[in-house]
Amino acid sequence: MQSILKKWQSFVAALIVVIACIGCSSVPSISNNPWQVINVPTKSKLLDISFANNSQHGYLVGGNATLLETKDGGDTWQPLKLELDDPRYRFNSVSFSGQEGWIAGEPSLLLHTTDEGKSWSRIALSEKLPGSPIAITAIGQNTAEMATDIGAIYQTTDGGQNWKANLDAAVGVVRTLERSPDGKYIAVSAKGSFYSTWEPGQNAWQPHNRNSSRRLENMGFTNDGQLWLLARGGQVQFSDPTKPEEWLEVEYPELSTSWGLLDLAYRTPDEIWIGGGSGNLLRSTDGGKTWEKDRDVETVAANLYKIVFFSPDQGFIIGDRGVLLKYNPKTADPADPAA
């Protein structure tokens, strides 16, 4: 009886060690943290960022009609207040092309500027608009593209006075929606159970089944125009560049992780950053073959859900509770050829 008890004690002790090690990470650390925490004067949820005519002048938008302006490349931000009928508007998206900019929000809000944000005018939207605007892309002078939370896509070429539908039918409530530079879209369904694609010339979204049992968290376009996906359990996958309809093998940058992967962005053709829950941030400098972890950022108490690079030297990460990180090329790894 005593020997059986000792065996059980040994088994339980071994099990505790295994469970404890599940949270351990074997991913190597990056040698230099290039991300600087920026003090932002709001605790509202930040949702998007864009820069106007130059890399110094930009805007941050978010919940509770949050609109912040920077004139020093994102080092400092000042709040702006717009005269709106409801202070609870959610500004989902901001985009600039030169001095012309747009802000899309909900419920059914669209703002337009032609003087780099000195003044904003509200564009009236039809009450029959399917869904609420969640994404706006400034394409050129007087031209922009707007997408709603059920996948309706519209374009204007006259500064927002008239909008033309780009496709006949919406896709349904979406979890995430991304646009490629050449006008293609990919949308993940609200429950993460499937995704849909659309490109100019098609009259409807093309549905696709997810390729595993794991719920899709986010999807977007790779540096060469193919697709990437993030799924539950820390799963990363890229489409096959030689066979666009097929996917490469699943990758798990950090095995046995309990936090989710939320967004992915390319800094250079080979350098990829992935943000996740609880301040987790991963980097690959070889196109996703191997990964490193930025452990200095783990002290940031926020989920890192949006990564944007405007150039190899200018990038930002948006987290919840008003967290903003700015890429600082001066503190990047000096041995990194991509730096």
Side-chain angles (χ1 to χ4, degrees), residues 171 185-189 194-198 205-208 216 219:
V171 70
Y185 281 84
I186 184 165
V188 175
S189 67
F194 69 95
Y195 69 94
S196 302
T197 57
W198 178 84
W205 286 89
Q206 308 300 310
H208 306 267
L216 297 172
M219 295 185 71

Side-chain angles (χ1 to χ4, degrees), residues 30-333:
I30 65 173
S31 58
N32 293 76
N33 168 37
W35 296 96
Q36 174 188 359
V37 178
I38 301 298
N39 183 30
V40 178
T42 183
K43 292 299 180 183
S44 295
K45 186 170 185 178
L46 301 174
L47 295 167
D48 200 14
I49 184 171
S50 183
F51 279 75
N53 206 33
N54 59 69
S55 62
Q56 297 300 301
H57 190 199
Y59 293 89
L60 263 171
V61 297
N64 298 315
T66 296
L67 177 60
L68 306 177
E69 181 183 28
T70 181
K71 295 182 179 180
D72 57 12
D75 289 333
T76 60
W77 296 84
Q78 300 299 322
L80 300 177
K81 187 174 181 180
L82 301 178
E83 295 299 326
L84 299 172
D85 56 340
D86 191 334
R88 295 169 296 179
Y89 277 109
R90 175 185 169 106
F91 294 166
N92 290 316
S93 178
V94 57
S95 181
F96 272 84
S97 175
Q99 293 188 332
E100 188 170 12
W102 306 79
I103 293 175
E106 54 186 310
S108 290
L109 179 76
L110 187 64
L111 303 175
H112 182 221
T113 179
T114 57
D115 55 12
E116 210 166 310
K118 294 178 183 177
S119 61
W120 293 86
S121 59
R122 183 166 180 175
I123 303 294
L125 295 175
S126 170
E127 294 181 357
K128 297 180 180 180
L129 179 72
S132 295
I134 59 168
I136 189 77
T137 303
I139 298 175
Q141 186 174 5
N142 293 323
T143 304
E145 203 163 78
M146 175 179 64
T148 73
D149 57 2
I150 61 171
I153 301 173
Y154 293 85
Q155 188 173 109
T156 181
T157 57
D158 57 10
Q161 296 182 41
N162 297 281
W163 294 85
K164 179 182 178 182
N166 282 349
L167 69 165
D168 297 334
V171 70
V173 180
V174 301
R175 181 183 184 87
T176 63
L177 182 145
E178 297 288 337
R179 182 186 188 275
S180 71
D182 60 353
K184 299 175 183 177
Y185 281 84
I186 184 165
V188 175
S189 67
K191 295 183 178 180
S193 54
F194 69 95
Y195 69 94
S196 302
T197 57
W198 178 84
E199 60 182 68
Q202 296 179 336
N203 59 10
W205 286 89
Q206 308 300 310
H208 306 267
N209 293 324
R210 62 187 181 190
N211 52 355
S212 77
S213 61
R214 297 177 182 267
R215 186 181 71 187
L216 297 172
E217 296 287 355
N218 198 357
M219 295 185 71
F221 296 91
T222 66
N223 187 69
D224 58 3
Q226 300 305 311
L227 300 177
W228 56 261
L229 70 79
L230 304 177
R232 293 192 73 176
Q235 176 180 313
V236 183
Q237 201 167 9
F238 298 91
S239 64
D240 190 330
T242 63
K243 302 173 183 177
E245 296 299 319
E246 299 182 16
W247 291 86
L248 301 176
E249 288 191 20
V250 172
E251 300 176 25
Y252 294 92
E254 189 170 14
L255 290 173
S256 303
T257 180
S258 60
W259 49 270
L261 302 177
L262 302 175
D263 197 21
L264 180 154
Y266 282 76
R267 187 179 80 87
T268 71
D270 295 315
E271 184 175 310
I272 306 170
W273 289 86
I274 294 179
S278 303
N280 280 278
L281 189 60
L282 298 166
R283 179 184 73 172
S284 173
T285 58
D286 55 14
K289 297 181 178 68
T290 60
W291 296 90
E292 302 169 298
K293 191 169 185 176
D294 190 334
R295 287 184 165 81
D296 289 341
V297 175
E298 286 184 311
T299 59
V300 178
N303 297 322
L304 308 178
Y305 51 78
K306 188 176 184 67
I307 307 176
V308 179
F309 282 100
F310 298 102
S311 72
D313 289 340
Q314 186 182 34
F316 295 87
I317 298 177
I318 297 175
D320 47 18
R321 295 186 294 276
V323 167
L324 181 69
L325 305 179
K326 179 187 176 184
Y327 184 82
N328 185 354
K330 294 181 180 178
T331 59
D333 187 349

